[in-house]
Amino acid sequence: MLEKVDLTKKLDKESYKEQIEGLQTHLGALQRECKELGIPIMIVFEGLPAAGKGFQMGKLIQALDPRGFEVHNIGYETKDEARHPFLWRFWKRTPAKGMVAIYDGSWYHKVSREYFDGYVKGKKVEEAYEELRLFEKELTVDGTLIVKFFLYIDKEEQRRRMNKLLSKESTRFRVNKNDKKRHIKFDRYRNICEKMLQKTDTEYAPWEVIPAMDKRYTTVKIYKTVIAYMEQKIDAVKRASQTQIYQGKKSDYVVPVLNVLGEADLTLAYTREDYKKYLKVLQKKIEKLHGELYHRRIPLVIGFEGWDAGGKGGAIKRLTEHMDPRGYVVHPTASPNDIEKAHHYLWRFWNDMPKDGHVTIFDRTWYGRVMVERIEGYCSDKEWQRAYDEINHMENSLVNNGAIVLKFWMQIDKEEQERRFNERMNNPEKQYKITDEDWRNREKWNQYEEAVNEMIVKTSKKNAPWIIVEGNNKYYARIKVLETVIAAIEKRLS
Amino acid sequence: MLEKVDLTKKLDKESYKEQIEGLQTHLGALQRECKELGIPIMIVFEGLPAAGKGFQMGKLIQALDPRGFEVHNIGYETKDEARHPFLWRFWKRTPAKGMVAIYDGSWYHKVSREYFDGYVKGKKVEEAYEELRLFEKELTVDGTLIVKFFLYIDKEEQRRRMNKLLSKESTRFRVNKNDKKRHIKFDRYRNICEKMLQKTDTEYAPWEVIPAMDKRYTTVKIYKTVIAYMEQKIDAVKRASQTQIYQGKKSDYVVPVLNVLGEADLTLAYTREDYKKYLKVLQKKIEKLHGELYHRRIPLVIGFEGWDAGGKGGAIKRLTEHMDPRGYVVHPTASPNDIEKAHHYLWRFWNDMPKDGHVTIFDRTWYGRVMVERIEGYCSDKEWQRAYDEINHMENSLVNNGAIVLKFWMQIDKEEQERRFNERMNNPEKQYKITDEDWRNREKWNQYEEAVNEMIVKTSKKNAPWIIVEGNNKYYARIKVLETVIAAIEKRLS
């Protein structure tokens, strides 16, 4: 892609002055329109060293309302970031609806600078391209506009600019050791970038390679490109909202019903005596293994789903009772708040993912998308249908980062649920646990059963399995959860 | 305080079993009540190495609803944290209303472990005690409940516990080099802690020193203490809400009126030609100085306040136009969102404070507390009256961390405002800038004038001055802002 770039492009001062003010006003107006329409926008600045990324970003943001954008500087990972999945720091920085996020450097750091430095090689590079493509795909399909710039200059111009910066004491620090290396091995770094551009130039997030020899030309070109992308996106959003009126809401997607829940043997039970005995042994064991995980820096992600009153809370309590509270955290998932609602539905879960050596337990999870959101119509059919892939991809990212991922479904039958609901109603200390909503959800038992069966079939993987916990007997359920977690950790440690 | 501790305290297994379940239920119920009342709770665990902080936190959180608490592990500062003011990382971690934050280690790290290590000494220690007291004071006066535990054991017990941990491969990593040092110099570290306890044992946030030789005794003691604090706080909150009904709302606080705004000479002006000439020179200068700040790692905080249409936006634009966007950020301050509302009013500003070498510009600031919140009655008289001290303290923390702090008031007269409002109404491209609220605020001109005069008098300090910018002529105003910022930076660099 770089070969085709015409590096002779220039713009004289007069033409620049004539155009720039109009472009700024236009862009400002489009930003306001995107804000109203709730379109999140990501603008990526990549390019060769000294190509003028900083300068051009500075020019661009002059036209933007500061209430509506943020700039993210992406360099090498911090220690903390390095202990999380690769995409974690980028998911955290995705913009809310109506906001513009500008990236000075980006997720492409890994397949450009880190590749050049030799930190990333071989199969890992190919994996990274794939992760990047999926990351952008999931965001764009969710409504985000992504504009990616690559600023290109030739070696001679790079040398000239670097020398200028190096010649003054006040700007010398701007050229670091790594920039110099990438200058000396100009062709090698250029080829790495070329490969990156080719591998990640997609229909949903294409690259815009900009000849950046002449600052004025570059500025105007960037303005015009951003404006064109925004106009196209605004147009698409408006058209989509019109079409929706004419289309029916329900798709004719056919759910393959496989009754995995029905196969659970709910008669399984332990006596109180056995339970107490087993519990003591297993909790001692998990305490020790938790220390080992920390020591070996292995992250552990556990999700709990299940029927209301299915025993999630009790199981989590027994699981964590003897764990060091400094090494685990329980995240209960409630309905999303305003800020969470303004982001991709996976955003808040990405934010909470554990770093190496830590344990994160989710009390309800990202699977809400294909259960409550599906059933209550909080998202469209298309949205929950594509969620299986998105969820599998996220869990795969965690696994790639070395995490153990386990998902428990706490299974009880309808009679047992009624018994527990009534018990809660009649016990003043437990009344706060039961709400009208619980009774309402109960009426949709069959719909949930269908959704859960589909979910389990589509998202249970070798490295991120669903475990159906036979939960009519609480003792049995709690022991099974502990045993499963222990077995998974021991398998990894061995 | 440590001398008086009775280390012989014990609890047998039977008494423990008898009490613990009741205490857990009680604490759970109190947590729900605190949540309903919107009380933020901070529970600090400090103590000698191997005193069992982690174990006891684990015991305590068993009784808490995971939707309502979070655990923060406080160790040595990360690189990023070290580049911020000392209290920054703790302000960020203050709990929202109704939430419990548990600190494993805390802001006392600085005056215990870091003091022992020799990182903090002399006058800096005294300054830190004072900062800590003020931090806790401001939070408690705002309604937060702070419970501070110091777990105490003797040297012999410490040796025994450490040896036990060191004897097993799976727990060896839990005793680090620093713990060992603090064990060997037991008396020295103990004395440092004693001093810390004495210096920061306040009426609003007293220390609870707990003998921690016997685990069962310690657990029960901690439960009982937390319960007692919560009950007292709940009681106080309920009483306060009752009293409010009987008291009048307005206090008879007398505002010393000093007309600093009235002294501004609003005839000051530049011609367009002079403005263009000056602007060019000054923007070049600020670009260079911005690089210097980055290089020398000096943070710069600039706040903009002023009348609606006073020219804040235009001044910020000219100030930043030639600055590297990777080194500055503009934070526009809108009305607080749900999450911000659930925290101390300074919380969101603390979050956004720059790290060393970065520039943060606030378009409207924390001074909203003593302007719009005062005038519209969004906070009580007592709240805005004490805000001057709180704000001065926050700015002082920034200055202590090496920051340059500047605050601009963009001053125009009432006629000029009307002219600009009308101009905005009549220009389609500027209409979005003017709202009904702007016209409503205008009707309260005199009230604002009074509030602003008082604010400027009470919060203008040598190291964090207010600069009144004569703004009827935009050219003059923009140049004055640039000149002032440049002068402040040059003064610091020289």
Side-chain angles (χ1 to χ4, degrees):
Chain A
M1 297 176 70
L2 295 173
E3 263 169 34
K4 289 184 214 147
V5 179
D6 178 1
L7 289 178
T8 64
K9 296 273 190 185
K10 273 190 184 173
L11 199 66
D12 62 70
K13 207 164 177 173
E14 293 313 302
S15 320
Y16 178 80
K17 282 209 167 172
E18 246 167 52
Q19 295 178 62
I20 192 68
E21 217 169 301
L23 290 170
Q24 288 187 332
T25 311
H26 194 170
L27 185 60
L30 288 174
Q31 184 196 7
R32 288 192 294 280
E33 202 170 347
C34 286
K35 185 157 200 167
E36 269 166 40
L37 291 170
I39 302 168
I41 300 173
M42 298 163 92
I43 304 177
V44 171
F45 279 85
E46 288 285 353
L48 298 183
K53 294 202 301 282
F55 178 85
Q56 295 298 344
M57 281 165 50
K59 284 289 173 195
L60 185 67
I61 63 180
Q62 287 304 319
L64 300 175
D65 179 346
R67 270 159 300 201
F69 79 87
E70 47 196 9
V71 173
H72 301 283
N73 308 314
I74 308 296
Y76 293 91
E77 290 172 330
T78 65
K79 266 191 198 172
D80 189 55
E81 286 165 351
R83 291 183 63 182
H84 283 91
F86 152 47
L87 286 173
W88 178 74
R89 61 175 176 153
F90 304 113
W91 268 103
K92 277 180 64 167
R93 290 176 172 84
T94 53
K97 283 176 188 153
M99 289 288 292
V100 181
I102 298 173
Y103 302 87
D104 169 27
S106 67
W107 36 101
Y108 289 99
H109 196 274
K110 195 170 192 108
V111 292
S112 55
R113 275 149 286 177
E114 289 171 44
Y115 184 11
F116 177 84
D117 297 337
Y119 295 140
V120 186
K121 28 188 144 176
K123 219 183 65 185
K124 284 280 164 198
V125 185
E126 294 299 328
E127 272 175 27
Y129 293 137
E130 176 68 8
E131 285 230 50
L132 296 175
R133 281 190 300 257
L134 283 173
F135 173 61
E136 292 179 352
K137 188 177 176 186
E138 283 165 19
L139 290 167
T140 47
V141 82
D142 190 53
T144 301
L145 168 64
I146 301 182
V147 189
K148 304 189 294 192
F149 289 111
F150 188 89
L151 305 193
Y152 187 52
I153 52 175
D154 63 24
K155 192 174 181 181
E156 188 45 43
E157 178 69 11
Q158 193 178 57
R159 184 191 340 260
R160 211 183 55 72
R161 291 187 189 180
M162 281 188 171
N163 284 341
K164 195 178 161 198
L165 288 169
L166 288 167
S167 69
K168 276 192 250 167
E169 226 224 309
S170 62
T171 55
R172 194 167 297 159
F173 70 94
R174 287 197 182 187
V175 183
N176 62 38
K177 216 175 51 187
N178 289 316
D179 292 332
K180 282 181 201 162
K181 274 192 207 156
R182 287 193 284 271
H183 172 64
I184 294 166
K185 305 229 174 212
F186 185 90
D187 286 340
R188 182 161 173 257
Y189 188 59
R190 182 191 171 286
N191 290 340
I192 283 175
C193 291
E194 172 68 34
K195 198 174 163 197
M196 165 186 100
L197 294 170
Q198 287 185 14
K199 288 277 187 180
T200 56
D201 187 46
T202 57
E203 207 181 303
Y204 43 88
W207 277 103
E208 293 291 335
V209 182
I210 309 282
M213 303 286 278
D214 178 74
K215 284 186 179 179
R216 286 189 293 262
Y217 172 82
T218 312
T219 304
V220 167
K221 178 79 183 163
I222 288 173
Y223 264 95
K224 285 184 176 169
T225 310
V226 173
I227 285 171
Y229 271 81
M230 280 186 171
E231 283 181 337
Q232 204 187 346
K233 181 75 190 172
I234 288 169
D235 197 43
V237 169
K238 283 184 176 167
R239 261 186 294 114
S241 71
Q242 281 169 347
T243 347
Q244 267 180 9
I245 301 167
Y246 300 108
Q247 280 191 339
K249 227 192 149 193
K250 281 274 164 196
S251 82
D252 47 9
Y253 184 80
V254 179
V255 179
V257 182
L258 233 156
N259 192 1
V260 281
L261 292 185
E263 285 166 28
D265 177 1
L266 296 178
T267 65
L268 290 168
Y270 287 129
T271 62
R272 188 172 162 83
E273 289 66 42
D274 282 349
Y275 166 68
K276 287 226 151 186
K277 207 164 55 188
Y278 299 157
L279 187 67
K280 207 170 171 184
V281 178
L282 295 172
Q283 285 189 329
K284 261 226 149 76
K285 214 163 186 172
I286 197 94
E287 184 182 356
K288 190 169 160 283
L289 289 171
H290 185 214
E292 281 285 315
L293 285 182
Y294 182 76
H295 193 43
R296 304 254 306 256
R297 297 218 161 176
I298 298 166
L300 170 58
V301 178
I302 305 177
F304 278 89
E305 292 285 357
W307 298 105
D308 289 329
K312 291 192 302 294
I316 292 172
K317 187 166 177 175
R318 271 51 174 209
L319 177 62
T320 57
E321 206 157 22
H322 283 239
M323 281 161 67
D324 186 330
R326 291 170 285 199
Y328 80 88
V329 61
V330 179
H331 284 293
T333 302
S335 24
N337 64 32
D338 292 355
I339 291 166
E340 290 162 350
K341 266 186 212 148
H343 284 88
H344 192 284
Y345 74 99
L346 289 175
W347 176 77
R348 57 173 171 156
F349 301 107
W350 266 107
N351 267 301
D352 288 340
M353 286 304 164
K355 59 178 171 182
D356 292 359
H358 282 249
V359 178
T360 300
I361 296 165
F362 292 91
D363 183 356
R364 301 202 182 279
T365 68
W366 42 96
Y367 285 97
R369 187 70 161 188
V370 293
M371 294 196 292
V372 58
E373 289 190 42
R374 164 184 175 171
I375 287 164
E376 301 291 341
Y378 297 152
C379 65
S380 73
D381 283 1
K382 273 192 183 164
E383 281 172 331
W384 66 258
Q385 281 160 16
R386 70 165 183 259
Y388 300 115
D389 279 350
E390 292 165 345
I391 286 171
N392 284 333
H393 174 222
M394 180 177 76
E395 291 175 358
N396 194 42
S397 291
L398 302 174
V399 169
N400 280 347
N401 187 52
I404 303 172
V405 179
L406 299 171
K407 301 165 300 192
F408 291 102
W409 175 266
M410 308 303 283
Q411 173 67 5
I412 53 174
D413 59 33
K414 223 175 158 181
E415 294 68 42
E416 178 64 18
Q417 189 186 52
E418 192 174 5
R419 212 189 52 69
R420 292 187 188 178
F421 276 13
N422 286 327
E423 191 192 323
R424 287 181 177 184
M425 304 275 281
N426 298 327
N427 182 341
E429 273 171 24
K430 290 189 174 178
Q431 266 166 18
Y432 75 93
K433 282 189 173 186
I434 181 108
T435 65
D436 291 349
E437 208 190 324
D438 293 328
W439 288 103
R440 276 197 302 277
N441 284 340
R442 187 175 154 77
E443 284 164 24
K444 299 184 178 168
W445 184 281
N446 292 344
Q447 278 171 273
Y448 272 98
E449 205 161 42
E450 188 180 312
V452 172
N453 275 321
E454 183 177 3
M455 164 185 99
I456 288 177
V457 169
K458 293 201 167 161
T459 59
S460 198
K461 292 147 293 190
K462 196 166 160 266
N463 284 322
W466 272 106
I467 299 99
I468 298 175
V469 179
E470 300 83 351
N472 269 17
N473 176 276
K474 284 185 177 180
Y475 300 144
Y476 181 85
R478 291 169 189 170
I479 296 297
K480 174 156 179 178
V481 167
L482 268 160
E483 282 178 338
T484 310
V485 175
I486 287 169
I489 299 175
E490 282 181 337
K491 193 176 155 212
R492 167 61 62 85
L493 292 176
S494 70
Chain B
M1 296 175 70
L2 295 173
E3 265 170 32
K4 288 183 215 149
V5 179
D6 179 0
L7 289 178
T8 65
K9 295 273 189 187
K10 274 189 186 175
L11 198 66
D12 61 71
K13 207 164 178 175
E14 293 313 304
S15 321
Y16 177 80
K17 282 208 165 171
E18 246 166 55
Q19 295 178 61
I20 192 67
E21 218 169 302
L23 290 170
Q24 288 186 332
T25 312
H26 194 170
L27 185 60
L30 288 174
Q31 184 197 7
R32 287 193 294 280
E33 204 170 348
C34 286
K35 186 157 199 165
E36 270 164 39
L37 291 169
I39 302 169
I41 300 173
M42 298 163 91
I43 304 178
V44 170
F45 280 84
E46 287 285 353
L48 297 183
K53 294 204 298 282
F55 178 86
Q56 295 298 343
M57 281 166 49
K59 285 288 173 194
L60 185 67
I61 63 179
Q62 287 304 321
L64 299 175
D65 179 346
R67 270 159 299 201
F69 79 86
E70 49 196 7
V71 173
H72 300 284
N73 308 314
I74 308 296
Y76 293 91
E77 289 171 332
T78 65
K79 265 190 198 172
D80 189 54
E81 286 166 351
R83 291 183 64 182
H84 283 93
F86 153 48
L87 286 172
W88 178 74
R89 60 174 176 153
F90 304 113
W91 268 103
K92 275 180 67 167
R93 290 173 170 86
T94 52
K97 282 177 189 154
M99 288 290 290
V100 181
I102 298 173
Y103 302 87
D104 168 29
S106 67
W107 35 100
Y108 289 101
H109 196 275
K110 197 174 191 103
V111 292
S112 55
R113 276 150 285 178
E114 290 172 44
Y115 184 9
F116 177 83
D117 297 338
Y119 295 141
V120 186
K121 27 187 144 178
K123 218 183 64 183
K124 283 280 165 198
V125 185
E126 294 298 328
E127 272 176 27
Y129 294 136
E130 175 69 8
E131 284 230 50
L132 296 175
R133 282 190 299 256
L134 284 172
F135 174 61
E136 292 178 352
K137 188 176 176 186
E138 283 166 19
L139 290 167
T140 47
V141 81
D142 189 54
T144 301
L145 168 64
I146 302 182
V147 189
K148 302 189 296 192
F149 290 112
F150 188 91
L151 304 193
Y152 187 52
I153 51 176
D154 63 25
K155 191 173 182 180
E156 189 45 41
E157 178 68 13
Q158 192 177 57
R159 183 189 342 257
R160 212 183 53 72
R161 292 187 187 180
M162 282 187 170
N163 283 341
K164 196 177 162 201
L165 288 171
L166 288 168
S167 69
K168 275 192 250 167
E169 227 223 310
S170 62
T171 54
R172 194 167 296 158
F173 69 94
R174 286 196 182 188
V175 182
N176 62 37
K177 216 174 52 186
N178 289 317
D179 292 332
K180 283 182 201 160
K181 273 191 207 157
R182 287 194 284 271
H183 172 63
I184 294 165
K185 304 229 175 212
F186 185 90
D187 287 340
R188 185 163 169 257
Y189 188 59
R190 183 191 171 285
N191 290 342
I192 282 174
C193 290
E194 172 70 32
K195 197 173 164 196
M196 166 187 99
L197 294 169
Q198 287 185 13
K199 287 277 186 179
T200 56
D201 186 47
T202 57
E203 208 180 303
Y204 44 87
W207 278 103
E208 294 291 335
V209 181
I210 310 282
M213 304 286 278
D214 178 74
K215 282 185 179 182
R216 287 188 293 262
Y217 172 83
T218 312
T219 304
V220 167
K221 179 79 183 162
I222 287 173
Y223 264 95
K224 285 184 174 168
T225 309
V226 173
I227 286 171
Y229 271 81
M230 279 187 172
E231 283 181 335
Q232 205 187 346
K233 181 73 191 175
I234 288 168
D235 198 43
V237 169
K238 284 184 175 167
R239 261 188 292 114
S241 71
Q242 281 168 348
T243 347
Q244 267 179 11
I245 301 166
Y246 301 109
Q247 280 191 340
K249 225 192 150 192
K250 281 272 166 199
S251 82
D252 47 9
Y253 184 79
V254 179
V255 180
V257 181
L258 233 155
N259 192 2
V260 281
L261 292 186
E263 285 166 27
D265 176 2
L266 295 178
T267 64
L268 289 168
Y270 287 129
T271 62
R272 187 170 164 82
E273 289 66 44
D274 281 348
Y275 165 67
K276 287 224 151 186
K277 206 165 55 188
Y278 297 158
L279 188 67
K280 207 171 170 183
V281 177
L282 294 172
Q283 285 188 331
K284 261 226 148 80
K285 214 162 186 174
I286 198 94
E287 184 182 357
K288 190 168 160 283
L289 289 171
H290 185 213
E292 281 285 314
L293 285 181
Y294 181 77
H295 194 42
R296 302 253 308 255
R297 296 218 160 173
I298 298 167
L300 169 58
V301 178
I302 305 176
F304 279 88
E305 293 284 359
W307 299 105
D308 289 330
K312 293 193 300 294
I316 292 171
K317 187 165 177 175
R318 271 52 174 210
L319 178 62
T320 58
E321 206 156 22
H322 283 240
M323 280 162 65
D324 185 331
R326 292 170 284 199
Y328 79 87
V329 61
V330 179
H331 285 294
T333 302
S335 23
N337 64 32
D338 291 355
I339 291 167
E340 289 162 349
K341 267 187 210 148
H343 284 88
H344 192 284
Y345 73 100
L346 289 175
W347 176 76
R348 58 173 170 156
F349 301 107
W350 267 108
N351 267 300
D352 288 339
M353 285 303 164
K355 60 179 170 181
D356 292 357
H358 283 248
V359 177
T360 299
I361 296 166
F362 291 91
D363 183 356
R364 301 203 183 280
T365 68
W366 42 97
Y367 285 97
R369 187 72 161 187
V370 293
M371 295 196 292
V372 59
E373 290 191 40
R374 163 184 176 172
I375 287 163
E376 301 291 343
Y378 297 154
C379 64
S380 73
D381 284 1
K382 272 192 183 162
E383 282 172 330
W384 65 257
Q385 282 159 15
R386 70 167 184 258
Y388 301 116
D389 279 350
E390 293 165 344
I391 286 172
N392 284 334
H393 173 221
M394 180 176 77
E395 291 175 358
N396 195 41
S397 292
L398 302 174
V399 169
N400 280 348
N401 186 52
I404 302 172
V405 179
L406 299 171
K407 300 164 303 194
F408 291 102
W409 175 264
M410 307 303 282
Q411 173 67 6
I412 53 174
D413 58 33
K414 222 175 157 180
E415 293 69 40
E416 178 64 19
Q417 190 187 51
E418 192 174 5
R419 212 188 53 68
R420 291 187 187 180
F421 277 12
N422 286 326
E423 191 191 324
R424 287 181 177 184
M425 303 275 282
N426 298 327
N427 183 341
E429 274 171 22
K430 289 190 175 176
Q431 266 166 17
Y432 74 93
K433 283 190 173 185
I434 181 108
T435 64
D436 290 351
E437 209 190 322
D438 292 328
W439 288 103
R440 276 197 301 275
N441 285 340
R442 187 174 152 77
E443 284 165 24
K444 298 185 178 168
W445 184 280
N446 293 344
Q447 277 171 274
Y448 272 98
E449 204 161 44
E450 187 180 313
V452 173
N453 275 321
E454 182 177 3
M455 164 186 99
I456 289 177
V457 170
K458 292 200 168 161
T459 59
S460 197
K461 291 147 293 191
K462 196 164 159 267
N463 285 322
W466 273 105
I467 298 99
I468 298 175
V469 179
E470 299 83 352
N472 269 16
N473 177 276
K474 284 186 177 181
Y475 300 144
Y476 181 85
R478 292 169 187 170
I479 296 297
K480 175 158 176 177
V481 168
L482 268 161
E483 282 178 338
T484 310
V485 175
I486 287 169
I489 299 175
E490 283 182 336
K491 193 177 154 209
R492 167 62 61 86
L493 293 176
S494 71

